[in-house]
Amino acid sequence: MSGQLVRLAETGRAPVAFRFDGQDMTGLLGDTVLTAILLGTGSLRPAEFGPERRAGFCLMGACQDCWIWAEDGSRLRACSTPVAAGMRLLSTAPERWPA
Amino acid sequence: MTRVLIVGAGPAGIRAAERLVGAGLRPVVVDEGARAGGQIYRRPPDGFIRPPQQLYGSDAGKARALHALFDAMAAAGQVDYRPQSSVHAIRDGVAHVAATRIPYDRLILATGATDRLVPVDGWQRAGVFSLGAAQIALKAQGVAIGRQIVLAGSGPLLTLVAAQLLAAGAGVAAVLDTSPLAAQVQGGIGMALARPTVTARGLAMRARLGRLYHAGVRLERITDDALHWRDAGGRAQVTECDAVALGWHLRAETQLADLAGARFAWSDTWAQWLPVADQMGRAGRGLYLAGDGLRILGADGAEVAGALAASACLDDLGIATPDTRALLRRARRLTRFAAAMARAFPWPGAQLDALPDTAVLCRCEGITLGQMRAAADHGGPEANRVKSLGRIGMGRCQGRYCQLAAADLIARHAGLAPRDVGRLRGQPPVRPVPIGALLDD
Ligand SMILES: Cc1cc2nc3c(=O)[nH]c(=O)nc-3n(C[C@H](O)[C@H](O)[C@H](O)COP(=O)(O)OP(=O)(O)OC[C@H]3O[C@@H](n4cnc5c(N)ncnc54)[C@H](O)[C@@H]3O)c2cc1C
Ligand code: FES
């Protein structure tokens, strides 16, 4: 599907390649992880307590709606983490992860 | 040397630091952001090129001045600046930042505000954001939250964010204000008396929204591709959209003040619990509050409040400070303006009355209004009891986005005033912390 977000400005920055749920994606240097993912797809993760999906809410580090996973099992807050080349990100906990 | 800790590097924290530095102190300044500026003067990351005029409009000069002031103090080592650091707890004169402890003698909290939210049926979906989020996306990342955006709620940010998105070329489908025109006229007169230029600027901005703008609406439901609402005449309306931004003015970020021992009182004007402080911002022994985290006076008010809080701190330390009479006069005028603004954009009680039992109240844990009402029926209409029985306010956001509405809904259900339902007490951590830091404690 197309992304939730639309880029309107600041398009001259260097590209940054990363993976999200096994898909290759590209952001721009200075994008947050949330921006980079939601430009290409509609959400960050499934909700834990309902059928819907989630895509962050406050973008200022206050709601904690935007935490996702990295393939190594670490977690990160997508709205306040800059995207970096080679990141391997997941919408859900990696398998073998003792949840 | 006396150790003064400032939490927050928005307009309030920066002006507080300036005054302390001017008196020869070297405060520690802890701020979550990567660069100082706070919410309104938030700066994009390195490598972004839009000039301040484009980011901050008519406030560009103020933004530039504050950024330059703080950057100069940090570069000269006049402040001990800790960016990208969150204070998650305050205990016995020590602030906890992940595993680091920062002991202090005096504490100035300038923690700002977040959007004030009320639940709308369906607001848990992806693609629903806060109004502030829509602005942050644009300002700090150069992106729009969707292709066809509905902005809904009330307050100064509603018109402002709509105007900023339109100017940037975003698709805005509608701007829906729950405040009736009559309230806006009434509050608007007080606003115009206190700050004619600012009020005129707001009205001009509103006029440019033209037919996109509707006053006196009630929001009913957000679905996958539309927002359902009723216009001021009660007629059902549907606006197609792929993104919704919601916000009803602001909510003071007071959790750290609570942990630091501030007392709270219900404010009818701002329809929320606010810390009690004197006109300088003194809120307890060695505790000073400034900016939107104390009173929602806006950015100019935050600059004044920051200087006042630092002056109070210096006074209490027996250090001479510049005269504060002019600052206090300005603070009083800005308070009159802000109170009139709060009247112009009131809490949307009528919309809460119409919220169905199946609507999600707590976005974090999917708790519905019906579940919360059941907890209130079982345990009585008291906010902290409903919290322990119904988990309202215990999710990821720690009640930041549901507790005001929850308390009001409990009150409406029980036929009480919101103040009678009590205030949810703050608990550490006020921000998530790495597990290691907690094990250390
Ligand atoms: C999202 C948003 C957008 C806004 N946009 C506008 C606007 O365009 N125009 C306008 O006039 N007003 C706007 N406002 C209101 C505006 O924020 C204020 O009037 C002004 O910025 C208040 O200044 P302040 O110094 O009190 O707080 P802020 O500017 O909010 O600064 C507070 C700082 O404290 C930091 N902080 C908070 N808690 C912690 C913690 N636990 N640990 C470490 N640091 C912490 C924050 O990261 C932030 O940098 C906005 C408010 C919000 C929430
Ligand atoms: S979107 Fe709210 S914390 Fe990231």
Side-chain angles (χ1 to χ4, degrees), chain B residues 129-153:
Chain B
F129 296 94
S130 73
L131 263 180
Q135 191 192 47
I136 291 168
L138 182 63
K139 231 186 235 183
Q141 295 278 280
V143 301
I145 58 167
R147 285 161 185 78
Q148 266 186 298
I149 306 167
V150 174
L151 302 155

Side-chain angles (χ1 to χ4, degrees), chain B residues 46-74:
Chain B
D46 282 334
F48 284 61
I49 54 170
R50 284 168 298 169
Q53 186 58 39
Q54 201 176 335
L55 294 175
Y56 313 110
S58 55
D59 292 325
K62 294 177 197 167
R64 239 181 309 212
L66 282 168
H67 295 155
L69 167 64
F70 192 84
D71 291 352
M73 290 191 295

Side-chain angles (χ1 to χ4, degrees), chain A residues 3-6 8-10 13 30-32 35 45 48-49 52-64, chain B residues 39 45 48-50 124 126 128-130 133 141-147 242-243 363-365 396-397 400-401 432:
Chain A
Q4 173 68 44
L5 305 180
V6 187
L8 298 176
E10 309 279 8
R13 291 168 286 138
D31 282 354
T32 64
T35 299
R45 64 177 183 95
E48 304 132 286
F49 298 91
E52 77 280 359
R53 296 191 59 87
R54 294 303 179 95
F57 184 69
C58 73
L59 269 56
M60 57 179 278
C63 75
Q64 321 305 335
Chain B
Q39 293 306 343
F48 284 61
I49 54 170
R50 284 168 298 169
Q124 69 274 20
V128 181
F129 296 94
S130 73
Q141 295 278 280
V143 301
I145 58 167
R147 285 161 185 78
D242 64 355
R363 285 183 90 256
C364 300
E365 303 201 346
R396 294 163 171 248
C397 84
R400 283 185 178 85
Y401 294 105

Side-chain angles (χ1 to χ4, degrees), chain B residues 8 10-12 31-32 38-40 85 87 110-113 132 135 160 291-292 298-299 302:
Chain B
D31 186 71
E32 238 166 37
Q39 293 306 343
I40 171 170
S85 306
V87 175
T111 46
Q135 191 192 47
L160 177 64
D292 276 2

